[in-house]
Amino acid sequence: MTARAGTSHTSKRATTIPRVRQILAILAREYKSPKCALVHSSPLELIVATILSAQCTDARVNQVTPALFAKYRSAADYAEAPAGRLEEDIRSTGFFRNKARALRNLGAALVRDHHGQVPRTMEELTALPGVGRKTANLVLAEAFGVPGIVVDTHVRRITQRLGLTRRSDPDHIERDLMQVIPRVSWNRFSLRLIQHGRAVCKARNPRCEDCALLRVCPEGLSRV
Ligand code: SF4
């Protein structure tokens, strides 16, 4: 029983890994210098921008954050902000009451537990209010250079279409991807897929005919 399960696992990895290499090579060729679309200049600014980006485009967040970051320069500034004023400052990102509450709670937790600094570990980041693994991985990767796979809506959709995961919840998808993507590629892999999701592999009408990944994509081959 054990031997059969082991054989099956080995055979799956043996057929998957070359295809993963092809996927990584194609993405690297298509998106040479991937970078985070949220404009920021510090870990605190990135975590704030990420919270604001829920149910909102990065472009809209980038319109709001220059004035916001000029006004709120520290975790304490968010913690002590009057709720109504902070809500007005982020209103155009949508769900502004929830987001303002999240930012105030985040600021308070950073002041209380981390001397106002953004921590550098997954455990500490995900213990912060409003911070899940997606945000934590983005902050670790972008702000601290720690390898991580950010599973946002684009990464989730495209990795399912590419057959790299059959799971639907982000935590399980992240674990599946960590098994097959080399650690050194984790950060750029996520950023490249996010770019690909915006440009080509859109949710409703993926442009499979124009997609460089078509020959290694089961979903694309079934569509064209
Ligand atoms: Fe997405 Fe189609 Fe490209 Fe596959 S071939 S990654 S489904 S656009």
Side-chain angles (χ1 to χ4, degrees):
M1 193 73 175
T2 306
R4 285 176 63 194
T7 303
S8 158
H9 179 72
T10 304
S11 127
K12 178 170 178 258
R13 291 292 299 273
T15 55
T16 302
I17 286 173
R19 199 167 68 84
V20 170
R21 275 203 215 103
Q22 285 182 293
I23 290 169
L24 293 174
I26 293 167
L27 286 171
R29 195 181 63 221
E30 294 292 308
Y31 306 101
K32 290 192 170 52
S33 307
K35 59 179 185 181
C36 175
L38 293 168
V39 177
H40 64 280
S41 63
S42 71
L44 178 64
E45 289 185 1
L46 178 57
I47 203 166
V48 167
T50 307
I51 287 172
L52 294 180
S53 72
Q55 309 290 319
C56 181
T57 65
D58 290 348
R60 168 70 67 180
V61 173
N62 289 339
Q63 288 173 357
V64 169
T65 49
L68 187 75
F69 294 160
K71 197 164 170 184
Y72 302 85
R73 294 176 176 276
S74 68
D77 289 341
Y78 290 101
E80 293 161 9
R85 191 188 305 161
L86 186 52
E87 286 173 7
E88 282 309 308
D89 290 335
I90 62 170
R91 177 181 277 270
S92 65
T93 67
F95 300 96
F96 57 90
R97 290 200 179 89
N98 286 345
K99 290 179 183 178
R101 192 179 313 119
L103 292 180
R104 293 171 78 232
N105 291 341
L106 172 73
L110 290 175
V111 170
R112 186 185 61 237
D113 301 332
H114 301 284
H115 308 290
Q117 301 300 305
V118 175
R120 293 170 174 246
T121 68
M122 175 62 76
E123 292 70 26
E124 290 171 311
L125 282 164
T126 51
L128 293 168
V131 177
R133 286 190 68 88
K134 182 185 82 169
T135 301
N137 268 320
L138 183 64
V139 171
L140 286 171
E142 279 292 311
F144 301 125
V146 177
I149 298 180
V150 177
V151 181
D152 77 342
T153 182
H154 298 292
V155 174
R156 173 179 156 173
R157 179 178 71 254
I158 301 172
T159 55
Q160 287 172 336
R161 287 174 173 173
L162 287 169
L164 298 178
T165 183
R166 292 181 178 172
R167 311 303 288 258
S168 55
D169 76 287
D171 288 0
H172 281 115
I173 292 173
E174 183 190 338
R175 259 178 252 151
D176 282 351
L177 296 176
M178 288 165 78
Q179 300 275 325
V180 294
I181 307 295
R183 186 177 164 86
V184 69
S185 301
W186 286 355
N187 298 356
R188 280 167 295 169
F189 174 73
S190 310
L191 292 173
R192 284 174 171 138
L193 280 191
I194 291 167
Q195 282 187 257
H196 191 61
R198 290 186 173 134
V200 181
C201 191
K202 295 168 187 280
R204 293 222 176 112
N205 295 307
R207 294 169 37 218
C208 300
E209 297 84 355
D210 304 324
C211 180
L213 290 168
L214 177 59
R215 67 191 160 88
V216 290
C217 179
E219 170 78 18
L221 290 170
S222 76
R223 283 174 178 256
V224 295

